[in-house]
Amino acid sequence: MNSFTHVPPGFRFHPTDEELVDYYLRKKIASKRIDLDVIKDIDLQNRAMGSSRIGAEEQNEWYFFSHKDKKYPTGTRTNRATKAGFWKATGRDKAIYLKHSLIGMRKTLVFYQGRAPNGQKSDWIMHEYRLETNENAPSQASISP
Amino acid sequence: MNSFTHVPPGFRFHPTDEELVDYYLRKKIASKRIDLDVIKDIDLQNRAMGSSRIGAEEQNEWYFFSHKDKKYPTGTRTNRATKAGFWKATGRDKAIYLKHSLIGMRKTLVFYQGRAPNGQKSDWIMHEYRLETNENAPSQASISP
């Protein structure tokens, strides 16, 4: 296995849902080393929206890994509020299969500026991936406007 | 510099025109080693259309490097006939710039089955790249349906 610090010119990070869950999310949860660190660990609650760089290019799509924050210490609901607004789920979760076995789920969320139940809908979309084996597992998400 | 035999999961080869000309075509012409051999050397005249694989995926876009074949030994016209048909230029060549300097040109061609001036137009498109510094330099092309 090579140790990557970059990829050759012309390669772009456009992972499929299967690759994100089966390779990247599994490694992140297991705290295993990932050759090329394309998925940063962040604290979603304290993070403002913005674009990020992979290599020399400006991107408006962003991949990161974050631990879920509980809304109430004893509950199961997830806190998706941030300083500037909140993330609200939209549509149905999508099942992610690898060779016909369910390996994970993808939740789609929209960012609203302000505080629930008010707040102004933005163009930011987040896909939150989770392993199907453990509902309370940490999640990995991609954001794009 | 690492020696690549593969890229990490999730990376796809989607080069820009600038990367194809300034990195890959320059290296090919100079016979320099390219870390990951994504651009095969082929003989365009004897090649049938088809899909190729990069990694585990079936692609319908294909990158290769080929030397130009002269139509007549003493002339400058290029022979783009193959056993099954011929490539015919369409539209105008596009100039490729890097930081405002012209580095190459991109010619778009369509594949026709049969023999000129007859032949049946296909869905195959080829972009033929050349360095601007030398009109007779070998060319590199990408084919997609």
Side-chain angles (χ1 to χ4, degrees):
Chain A
M1 197 72 177
N2 295 318
S3 176
F4 294 96
T5 53
H6 66 283
V7 289
F11 285 87
R12 308 279 177 273
F13 190 54
H14 293 310
T16 62
D17 287 346
E18 295 71 29
E19 288 168 331
L20 280 176
V21 169
D22 197 54
Y23 184 82
Y24 289 101
L25 183 53
R26 276 192 211 289
K27 287 213 172 200
K28 282 288 188 183
I29 289 172
S31 298
K32 284 187 182 162
R33 203 177 68 84
I34 295 175
D35 282 331
L36 196 65
D37 188 22
V38 282
I39 297 178
K40 303 291 177 188
D41 291 31
I42 69 156
D43 173 2
L44 190 56
Q45 282 67 45
N46 294 311
R47 195 75 181 209
M49 297 298 90
S51 61
S52 72
R53 283 172 178 276
I54 292 179
E57 291 157 89
E58 197 73 32
Q59 309 244 155
N60 55 10
E61 194 174 62
W62 197 21
Y63 295 89
F64 61 85
F65 177 73
S66 182
H67 288 269
K68 274 190 180 177
D69 182 28
K70 283 187 181 172
K71 205 172 181 103
Y72 307 107
T74 55
T76 57
R77 293 179 65 189
T78 303
N79 176 28
R80 293 196 184 85
T82 74
K83 284 173 183 172
F86 57 95
W87 291 96
K88 191 179 166 183
T90 180
R92 280 194 186 187
D93 290 8
K94 182 195 162 196
I96 298 164
Y97 294 94
L98 184 73
K99 293 172 189 158
H100 308 292
S101 8
L102 184 68
I103 55 169
M105 298 293 288
R106 189 185 82 180
K107 185 187 285 299
T108 301
L109 304 108
V110 177
F111 187 73
Y112 288 74
Q113 286 185 302
R115 282 177 178 272
N118 302 310
Q120 198 178 353
K121 195 176 178 177
S122 77
D123 292 334
W124 289 98
I125 295 285
M126 174 161 63
H127 292 126
E128 185 186 270
Y129 296 88
R130 62 180 189 268
L131 292 186
E132 186 46 26
T133 46
N134 181 356
E135 175 62 27
N136 296 313
S139 63
Q140 165 186 296
S142 72
I143 289 181
S144 57
Chain B
M1 196 70 173
N2 295 318
S3 177
F4 294 96
T5 54
H6 66 283
V7 290
F11 284 87
R12 309 279 176 274
F13 191 54
H14 294 310
T16 61
D17 287 346
E18 295 72 30
E19 287 168 331
L20 280 175
V21 169
D22 197 52
Y23 184 83
Y24 289 101
L25 183 53
R26 275 191 211 289
K27 287 213 172 200
K28 282 286 186 185
I29 289 172
S31 299
K32 285 188 182 162
R33 203 177 68 83
I34 294 177
D35 282 330
L36 195 66
D37 188 21
V38 282
I39 297 178
K40 304 288 177 191
D41 290 33
I42 70 157
D43 173 3
L44 190 57
Q45 281 67 46
N46 293 313
R47 193 75 184 211
M49 296 298 91
S51 62
S52 70
R53 282 172 181 277
I54 294 180
E57 290 155 274
E58 198 71 33
Q59 309 243 153
N60 56 10
E61 195 176 62
W62 198 22
Y63 295 89
F64 60 87
F65 177 74
S66 182
H67 288 269
K68 275 189 178 179
D69 183 29
K70 282 186 182 174
K71 204 170 182 106
Y72 308 108
T74 55
T76 58
R77 290 179 65 189
T78 304
N79 177 28
R80 294 196 185 87
T82 75
K83 285 172 183 171
F86 57 94
W87 290 97
K88 191 179 166 184
T90 180
R92 282 196 184 182
D93 291 7
K94 183 195 160 195
I96 298 164
Y97 295 93
L98 184 73
K99 292 172 190 160
H100 309 292
S101 5
L102 184 68
I103 55 169
M105 297 295 287
R106 188 185 82 180
K107 185 186 287 298
T108 301
L109 304 107
V110 177
F111 188 73
Y112 288 74
Q113 287 185 301
R115 282 178 178 275
N118 302 309
Q120 197 179 348
K121 195 175 179 177
S122 77
D123 291 334
W124 289 97
I125 295 284
M126 174 161 62
H127 291 125
E128 185 186 271
Y129 296 87
R130 63 179 189 270
L131 291 186
E132 186 45 29
T133 46
N134 180 356
E135 175 62 27
N136 295 313
S139 64
Q140 166 188 297
S142 72
I143 288 182
S144 57

